[in-house]
Amino acid sequence: LGGQKSSEGNTTADNVSAAAVEKYMHGIKFPASKDDLVKQAESNGAPEGVLEAVKGFGRDEYKSVTDISQALKEEKQSQYNS
């Protein structure tokens, strides 16, 4: 799971990678809200798994791509702990 890439059609919120999320953030302006991230991913044609992952992020504001990667890591961590 960790660093493996799945085909775009099989991307789920559980197996989405930070690289996949970042790919669909092309053109995002920071600081950005979670809604901004979702809209940007949608406009870049993100698969449902990427959209679901971004919608599950816990933060309200993101200041960089690093913040987005950290939010994905936190989301995955919270899934494993529940």
Side-chain angles (χ1 to χ4, degrees), residues 11-26:
T11 302
T12 66
D14 293 336
N15 71 11
V16 70
S17 69
V21 172
E22 289 173 22
K23 173 182 176 180
Y24 296 103
M25 291 299 125
H26 178 74

Side-chain angles (χ1 to χ4, degrees), residues 28-56:
I28 192 79
K29 303 277 192 258
F30 295 103
S33 69
K34 181 166 48 174
D35 285 345
D36 292 335
L37 300 185
V38 172
K39 287 176 188 169
Q40 190 68 39
E42 287 173 336
S43 72
N44 285 328
E48 191 61 33
V50 170
L51 295 173
E52 288 302 314
V54 174
K55 290 174 184 176

